[in-house]
Amino acid sequence: MMNDYIENLRWRYATKKYDANRKVSNENLKTLKESVRLSVSSLGLQPYKVFIIEDPEIRQKLQPLAYNQSPITEASHLFVFANEVSINEKHINNYIDNIITTRGVSRESITPFVNMMEGFLGQLDETNRGLWASKQTYLAMNSLITTAAVLKIDATPMEGFNKEAFNDVLGLNEMGLSAAVVAAIGYRHEEDIYQHMKKVRKSENELFITV
């Protein structure tokens, strides 16, 4: 099983050309969404929203804002991970209420955790809170990409886009959000030459240091 997982990671690559006629099934899309929902998140706070863009007109508007990268319009689905710009008391209280409801515990019993969370976030100014939140989106995106590989679905993470322009097109500013990172998912086109290239990574000896 683990060997299969490693092989799936070897199989995946940042797909450059997608088969626009192949779509990810609703069942697989549901699995991908669940993997994002269950992703690692610092404090478990998940300070972001994930937009799944299917509308071809919106994707046409977004493509020139992302250096005309073809996966924006050709892939089956486009995921836009948008972080909360200003994490405030409302976000924290909503999360605490979720813990209490989900685990059936009292607020008093989780006071030490709440104090730790508030202390951590309290030491950050608004800019660094936003930066911290944006980093969380990358953890969620990684869950999407690795799960896609297990399902033999291709994915392309993208940082090369105009975030402010994405925010305008998607109306993110009004929601207190900012686009952080984008990922396209779908199926590689047979003409994508990159699928035949060996994956280039550092060797184990070069990458890892045991102390």
Side-chain angles (χ1 to χ4, degrees):
M1 181 72 73
M2 185 51 64
N3 286 339
D4 290 341
Y5 177 71
I6 295 299
E7 284 305 312
N8 288 331
L9 295 183
R10 291 195 177 108
W11 171 84
R12 68 147 301 275
Y13 70 105
T15 304
K16 303 298 187 293
K17 184 174 179 59
Y18 281 84
D19 184 343
N21 295 315
R22 295 189 66 189
K23 301 299 180 184
V24 173
S25 69
N26 289 334
E27 181 180 0
N28 282 340
L29 184 61
K30 183 177 180 180
T31 299
L32 292 171
K33 290 166 66 175
E34 185 68 356
S35 75
V36 172
R37 191 181 74 85
L38 297 175
S39 174
V40 173
S41 176
S42 179
L43 302 173
L45 191 58
Q46 295 176 292
Y48 48 77
K49 299 285 186 183
V50 184
F51 293 78
I52 302 174
I53 314 298
E54 296 180 340
D55 189 318
E57 291 186 9
I58 294 177
R59 291 168 67 171
Q60 286 288 347
K61 291 179 181 178
L62 294 176
Q63 188 179 33
L65 308 177
Y67 301 99
N68 288 312
Q69 295 176 82
S70 63
I72 296 289
T73 54
E74 291 180 354
S76 176
H77 293 75
L78 185 69
F79 282 65
V80 178
F81 295 80
N83 63 279
E84 300 282 356
V85 174
S86 179
I87 302 169
N88 54 40
E89 188 175 349
K90 178 182 178 181
H91 296 107
I92 295 173
N93 286 334
N94 286 343
Y95 178 43
I96 293 169
D97 289 342
N98 195 5
I99 294 174
I100 292 170
T101 301
T102 302
R103 295 179 175 171
V105 297
S106 67
R107 188 181 182 94
E108 291 72 22
S109 69
I110 59 172
T111 296
F113 172 71
V114 173
N115 291 340
M116 181 274 291
M117 177 169 56
E118 291 178 338
F120 169 72
L121 293 173
Q123 70 181 346
L124 303 175
D125 59 26
E126 185 168 302
T127 298
N128 282 311
R129 281 192 188 189
L131 179 61
W132 172 80
S134 70
K135 290 180 178 180
Q136 304 309 305
T137 65
Y138 285 76
L139 297 174
M141 182 185 67
N142 185 66
S143 293
L144 171 71
I145 290 172
T146 54
T147 302
V150 171
L151 296 172
K152 286 295 189 288
I153 295 171
D154 290 295
T156 307
M158 288 176 277
E159 291 183 298
F161 64 96
N162 185 321
K163 294 181 180 181
E164 290 75 16
F166 262 56
N167 291 346
D168 289 340
V169 170
L170 299 175
L172 301 186
N173 294 320
E174 293 79 1
M175 295 181 241
L177 300 168
S178 180
V181 68
V182 172
I185 63 165
Y187 297 96
R188 63 190 67 175
H189 196 286
E190 61 181 11
E191 294 178 359
D192 189 348
I193 62 173
Y194 293 93
Q195 64 189 293
H196 305 299
M197 296 181 180
K198 290 185 177 181
K199 187 180 292 292
V200 179
R201 294 291 188 271
K202 291 181 178 180
S203 68
E204 180 179 338
N205 289 337
E206 187 180 6
L207 182 61
F208 296 100
I209 300 174
T210 302
V211 298

